[in-house]
Structure formats: structure tokens, C-alpha cells
Amino acid sequence: KAAMTEIFDRSPPQNRVPLIKLFDVICALELRFQAVGVTVPPTWKAACDDADRFEMDRLESSRLHNEIVMRFDHLRGTSNGTRWQLRMARNLQVGPYRVDMMDQDTKIVLDME
């Protein structure tokens, strides 16, 4: 708690890397660790959200991202007599988190770093 309070007492950095990493920490604080009692200032929330959104946009146009989507879209099989196929949708909101890819039917999520 003391470390988070010390961080949030400062102004958010311009560097997106720590803000992207802190985005997940802030989501966890708001969802699961409210009892810790750390209040995230709106400037930090906005800075982390902007950094995460920028990173999602950057990744969406990458060759690796496109290759992974293509490979997952071609995955299919049969399990216990039931046929399945993954259809990965990109950049979805799942609760407070944004994920790179998710198959709506199976709820399989892929988040690349």
C-alpha cells in the first residue's frame, strides 16, 4: 500500500512502458484488492488507459498479431463428439481489461505482450 501511495503521489511518467504494466495493477486493485485501500488518482487512470489503448492499436497492425489470428482462425477439431473451431475477435473489452484476442464461444483469451 505504501509503495502504491508513493507512486501515485507523483505525476504519471511520459514513458508508456511502466504505464502499460501499471494498467493491469490498477484493474486488479479496483476488482480484487479494494480492501487494500489504495485510491488511484484520475490522472493516473487516464494515463494508464491511454498507454494501454495505444499499445493495443500498435499491436493490432503488427505482422505477428495478424499471423496469430490467422492460425487460430484455422484451428478446428472434435472433442467428445462435438466439433469446434476458434474464431478469434481482436481487441475486446473483458471486464475492465482489454485483451488482444478472444473466441466468444469458448471464452479462450489470448493477450500478447
Side-chain angles (χ1 to χ4, degrees):
K1 178 179 176 176
M4 294 304 293
T5 303
E6 185 177 331
I7 289 170
F8 293 142
D9 283 343
R10 301 175 183 179
S11 60
Q14 297 297 316
N15 187 344
R16 286 190 196 102
V17 175
L19 293 172
I20 292 167
K21 301 298 181 192
L22 199 56
F23 178 79
D24 290 334
V25 173
I26 289 173
C27 289
L29 281 172
E30 291 176 345
L31 284 176
R32 295 201 173 146
F33 300 103
Q34 294 133 348
V36 173
V38 174
T39 302
V40 181
T43 54
W44 275 91
K45 278 186 189 179
C48 291
D49 190 56
D50 289 346
D52 189 63
R53 196 170 269 122
F54 180 84
E55 182 69 5
M56 292 291 287
D57 290 343
R58 186 183 71 77
L59 280 176
E60 186 174 5
S61 62
S62 76
R63 284 181 53 199
L64 174 63
H65 202 270
N66 290 329
E67 178 79 15
I68 290 171
V69 169
M70 185 183 74
R71 301 281 178 177
F72 270 96
D73 281 347
H74 287 68
L75 279 179
R76 53 182 58 100
T78 305
S79 177
N80 296 328
T82 304
R83 294 181 54 117
W84 59 268
Q85 179 178 3
L86 296 179
R87 300 211 184 270
M88 303 303 272
R90 295 179 178 196
N91 292 341
L92 293 178
Q93 190 82 24
V94 178
Y97 302 100
R98 276 185 293 278
V99 297
D100 293 319
M101 297 171 212
M102 178 178 171
D103 178 65
Q104 296 283 353
D105 295 336
T106 62
K107 305 295 187 226
I108 292 175
V109 172
L110 179 63
D111 194 37
M112 299 182 312
E113 295 298 324

